Amino acid sequence: MSETEGYEEFPPLSNDAVTERLVNLVMLLTSSRFGFTKAEIAQKVPGYSDSGPAMERMFERDKRILAVNNIVLSEPVEEDEYRYKISLKSATLPELNFTSEEQDILRAATLAWQNTNQKSDALLLQAKLEAIGMQSNLTKNIANFEIPIDLETVFSALTEKRILNFNYRRPGQADTTKRKLEIWGVAVRNGAWFIYGKDRIRDDVRVFNLYRVVGSFSVTGEMNSYEPQDVDLKVLLDPATRDEISYEVTLMLEAGKGEYWRDMAGLNEDDSESKTVQVTLKNLADDIPRLAADAPAVVVTAPQEVVDMVTNLVWGLK
Amino acid sequence: MNRFERLLAMVPWLVSRQGVSHDEVASHFEITKEQVIQDMMLLSVTGIGQYANEQFDVDYSDNKIFIHDQLGLDRPFNFDSTEAACLLLGLDALSKLPQQLSGFRSLDIDKVREKISTAVPLSSGVNVVVEDSNLEIIESISAALELGKQLTFDYWNPARDDVRKRQVSPYRLYTVNQVSKLDGYEHGTGWRTFQVSNIDSIEVVDVSVNFESTEFNPMQTFEVDISIPLKQQYLLENFNVVKSKVSDNNHLKATIRIAEIKWLARQVLASGCGIEVLSPEVAVEVAKHVQAARSAYPKILSAN
């Protein structure tokens, strides 16, 4: 069984006939404040061939596509029959007025996604903002995100408060583990992208580097199935707080070398002399490879356990 | 972006820009002119009935588009979850940048967030976390850029693990994923990109900028072939990969671009020597670095 088997997938949408049916459906459901029954919809919207089970399936699928696009149908019951409609007042953007400075800010926020997979989403966002009056000639990409991962499913799970499923590779490990996350948020810190929330399998709050997600995301479960909790992101995302094990280590530093470790040891004086320093390693996943890379200008001499870890790396034993 | 999403966003945009050309629409939505015409053809056959006033009425002849009857779709639909998250994250990123970098007052960004709060289906959960904004250094760089003056600073190069005094004519200051960077011409060396967080002891000097090479030319890089075990293909995330493919023996071959052999040697060591360098000349140089590192950890000889 594949990792994603059994997960709910978003329906594909490539067929022109489906697009035409959906546009017609939206036009119809926004055209009357009284709404339409399923039978009326089947009769008025080309593409719904009959009012039987096939039509039911097509209509449910179309409702789901509209919901993904944040277009929610109201379903008032009249005389034992559902009448479906879309309220333009609640489904469309409200009147918003922005100063020219604010319009530049909105434009800058959309331009931030120019170098990402979300570029096309940002284009639609921009079109919507322009349709309600945003006029800005700003071209400079100020915030400038760069991330080679499609975040659409992540954002969808976050907004809908559903479970985000993915396979994750921990630092330094080749194997992946399956995760089911109550996603509470997405964060950018020091150039890295993270998602965080409650890992349902481990029943604990966890943070995941998006670059270490292997394969694609999927979303399962009911909407609004949990309530995100407030967390101290600076603490949660600090690598030093993510590893439980820490080591007091002794390092020999060559003259003029080991700037990272001198800084960690609090050495502010001239670095033109070789030094022996003591530092505490709190982020082994990053610090051990860094020690291997810094050899021979930086050499760990104690404890033996850490010496062995670095030795294994430089000799390619793990 | 699928076609349905595009059409829903396009209609109100067209309504607010009557007479826009096919080319402008194509450019704005990053589609071909043919796709624009196909979209207009599709819209022209949609509607809610058979009568004229029940049909979507669009004129797209003469390379201009006029929407005469849009059947109530003149306002854009609410932002979907991705659009909302993109907007909020973009705003948060701008608000966390020093004003010298963003050019915006945080007060104005807050006002925008307040105004759109009723229109986004997401109130929290997208965050940009800033540890150290390096504000003083950014102020110095901004001042030098404004005055057209050169800078001197100590720069720690993580690839070589050394700190050297640099004299630089600053060219531009920018951010990528909230990491601030400076492009500039380093006198005596050439065009370089500096990470602001690795800069120390910065001073604006009273010497006008002088770009000895007039065209911005990023640091020279060259291609190297490497091989990585498939089970360690995640190591590729550290590289600027030109191309990669799975080879016959459960390995992945990749061509990467690097600026310094020393940097590649560090990656090899940090990876537990999982990366094999295939380009012969580079492999020899990398092997020297690896051998030097192994000489510092000789206990392995007795242990094995």
Side-chain angles (χ1 to χ4, degrees), chain A residues 16 24 69-70 90-93 97 102 113 128 130 146 169 185-186 188-190 196 258 294 314-315, chain B residues 3 5 13 28 47 75-76 78-79 81 83 86 115 125 127 129-131 161 175 177 234 266 294 300:
Chain A
D16 287 349
N24 280 322
N69 286 280
N70 198 21
S90 60
T92 57
L93 290 175
N97 294 306
E102 291 167 353
W113 298 90
K128 288 182 176 181
E130 287 177 350
E146 280 186 10
R169 175 185 55 74
V186 178
V188 188
R189 176 187 171 274
N190 281 359
Y196 59 91
D294 282 347
V314 299
W315 285 89
Chain B
R3 195 177 183 195
E5 291 170 341
W13 188 84
H28 192 280
R75 286 198 69 78
N78 292 331
F79 303 126
S81 56
E83 292 161 357
C86 286
K115 285 183 181 179
N127 316 271
V129 182
V130 176
E131 250 182 306
D161 187 26
T175 67
N177 291 336
Y234 57 83
R266 290 177 59 85
R294 287 178 175 174
I300 196 72

Side-chain angles (χ1 to χ4, degrees), chain A residues 80-190:
Chain A
D80 296 331
E81 198 165 23
Y82 281 103
R83 298 187 73 82
Y84 298 91
K85 66 173 185 175
I86 297 169
S87 163
L88 277 177
K89 192 179 175 190
S90 60
T92 57
L93 290 175
E95 293 285 345
L96 296 167
N97 294 306
F98 300 103
T99 64
S100 61
E101 176 91 320
E102 291 167 353
Q103 291 175 32
D104 281 345
I105 290 169
L106 286 166
R107 169 90 173 141
T110 64
L111 285 174
W113 298 90
Q114 235 173 12
N115 300 316
T116 70
N117 285 298
Q118 264 51 63
K119 183 182 180 181
S120 60
D121 299 288
L123 281 178
L124 296 185
L125 168 65
Q126 190 181 314
K128 288 182 176 181
L129 288 167
E130 287 177 350
I132 59 168
M134 181 186 86
Q135 291 180 347
S136 168
N137 295 320
L138 192 79
T139 54
K140 187 182 174 189
N141 188 349
I142 298 167
N144 196 16
F145 291 138
E146 280 186 10
I147 175 167
I149 296 162
D150 192 335
L151 297 170
E152 188 173 357
T153 310
V154 173
F155 289 149
S156 168
L158 178 66
T159 308
E160 296 178 355
K161 297 176 191 170
R162 299 173 73 204
I163 304 297
L164 186 68
N165 305 278
F166 55 94
N167 291 309
Y168 191 70
R169 175 185 55 74
R170 293 194 67 199
Q173 294 181 2
D175 296 333
T176 61
T177 51
K178 196 171 180 173
R179 308 290 177 142
K180 290 176 176 289
L181 185 70
E182 286 183 6
I183 178 169
W184 298 350
V186 178
V188 188
R189 176 187 171 274
N190 281 359

Side-chain angles (χ1 to χ4, degrees), chain A residues 247-261:
Chain A
Y247 287 94
E248 299 287 326
V249 302
T250 304
L251 304 177
M252 291 196 315
L253 311 175
E254 260 182 29
K257 295 288 182 183
E259 181 67 18
Y260 175 85
W261 308 105

